[in-house]
Amino acid sequence: MIRIIAIANQKGGVGKTTTAVNLSASLAAHGRRVLLIDVDPQGNATMGAGVDKNALETSVYAVLLGEASMLDARVRAKGDFDLIPANRELAGAEIEMVSMPDRETKLKDAIHTLKAAIASVADQYDYVLIDCPPTLNLLTLNALCAADSVLIPMQCEYYALEGLSDLVQTLRKMQQHLNPTLEIEGLLRTMYDPRISLSQQVAAQLQQHFGSKLFTTIIPRNVRLAEAPSHGLPVLLLDKASKGSQAYMQLAAELLAKHEAAKT
């Protein structure tokens, strides 16, 4: 059964796109059929998956406006998974959707557009991952409305804890008004440096407050992870033996084990 996971955090620079690309490749390496949807106008997940965002014939922009299907926009990414790419053209989609006639009705329909689009290809995938913008806008609402759960990457620093409480409040509002079955898939500690005492303290606080919702896998600060996007590759293809690659493979295994356990 397909699992749709939005990868979101209202705070930027937390490893959200890095997680989207590398978890997609790692799930594929574990034999799962994966689709990554980039709904960030920056298109970083698109570039990080080896697709030139400046040479797209069709993108998620056309899908959201109902001008193209998921099959029209779909491309094959490096890492053995499929991708619905994005570029800066997507920044105009929100303005166009909001300015349509019958605004309130159109806005409600627009929020459900991505969900309907994913349903059209649901039988072809085990996992759909959605890379969200670092802000709460119509694009993010689309992703959260379509998703079964939210994976929250976060750095182990003070400001990340502050932003987390805002994000949890947002998710509660989503549950109340748009997607009552939405749940937190888990919190993922990223860019972790065990030499920094604050990182250890924040990690311990997260464990105390979120318990089983905290992934045991921790993504370390890793040079290869930082280099991979410049090569247009998931780190698994750049350096399979690197600590970053091994961490994302471990995360994929943990996620799969969790979902298998939930079936029994």
Side-chain angles (χ1 to χ4, degrees):
M1 187 176 185
I2 190 171
R3 181 77 175 177
I4 304 168
I5 303 174
I7 301 175
N9 194 324
Q10 289 166 252
K11 187 178 186 301
V14 296
K16 178 178 52 62
T17 298
T18 296
T19 296
V21 171
N22 289 293
L23 180 56
S24 294
S26 296
L27 286 169
H30 280 280
R32 299 310 190 271
R33 301 170 302 166
V34 181
L35 174 66
L36 172 60
I37 303 175
D38 188 355
V39 295
D40 188 341
Q42 296 180 85
N44 290 337
T46 297
M47 297 292 282
V51 176
D52 185 355
K53 67 182 180 182
N54 299 311
L56 298 177
E57 294 184 7
T58 310
S59 71
V60 72
Y61 167 81
V63 174
L64 287 171
L65 291 182
E67 298 173 355
S69 70
M70 294 286 267
L71 296 179
D72 294 330
R74 184 173 64 182
V75 296
R76 195 66 173 170
K78 293 180 180 178
D80 202 25
F81 59 91
D82 287 339
L83 171 73
I84 305 296
N87 55 23
R88 292 202 175 275
E89 188 179 44
L90 182 59
E94 186 174 20
I95 298 171
E96 291 187 45
M97 286 189 286
V98 170
S99 62
M100 288 175 176
D102 304 319
R103 181 183 182 281
E104 293 305 322
T105 303
K106 290 293 184 181
L107 185 58
K108 185 176 180 181
D109 291 343
I111 291 172
H112 290 82
T113 300
L114 189 60
K115 185 174 184 179
I118 292 172
S120 70
V121 295
D123 62 334
Q124 300 179 35
Y125 298 102
D126 301 305
Y127 283 90
V128 173
L129 304 184
I130 309 173
D131 185 34
C132 300
T135 182
L136 182 62
N137 57 16
L138 189 55
L139 298 171
T140 304
L141 288 178
N142 249 293
L144 295 179
C145 183
D148 299 311
S149 60
V150 185
L151 190 158
I152 306 170
M154 60 177 296
Q155 289 180 262
C156 292
E157 59 179 33
Y158 175 74
Y159 288 120
L161 282 177
E162 289 285 298
L164 181 59
S165 61
D166 294 337
L167 180 57
V168 170
Q169 288 296 324
T170 297
L171 296 180
R172 286 176 180 164
K173 290 178 182 177
M174 282 295 302
Q175 290 169 331
Q176 291 170 2
H177 301 292
L178 288 171
N179 188 354
T181 61
L182 184 68
E183 62 181 15
I184 294 177
E185 186 69 51
L187 278 75
L188 176 66
R189 291 164 286 185
T190 60
M191 293 179 267
Y192 182 78
D193 188 341
R195 297 170 299 179
I196 300 175
S197 60
L198 180 60
S199 293
Q200 299 174 21
Q201 294 168 13
V202 173
Q205 288 181 37
L206 289 172
Q207 183 65 61
Q208 179 182 352
H209 289 291
F210 290 93
S212 61
K213 286 295 183 182
L214 187 69
F215 285 106
T216 58
T217 301
I218 299 175
I219 309 300
R221 284 194 179 276
N222 180 250
V223 173
R224 289 310 228 178
L225 269 179
E227 291 175 343
S230 66
H231 294 273
L233 293 171
V235 69
L236 188 64
L237 298 186
L238 181 66
D239 186 350
K240 189 175 182 179
S242 69
K243 290 183 178 179
S245 179
Q246 292 173 2
Y248 276 108
M249 283 294 286
Q250 182 181 334
L251 175 64
E254 183 178 353
L255 192 68
L256 291 171
K258 174 185 175 181
H259 293 160
E260 286 299 318
K263 293 178 184 178
T264 59

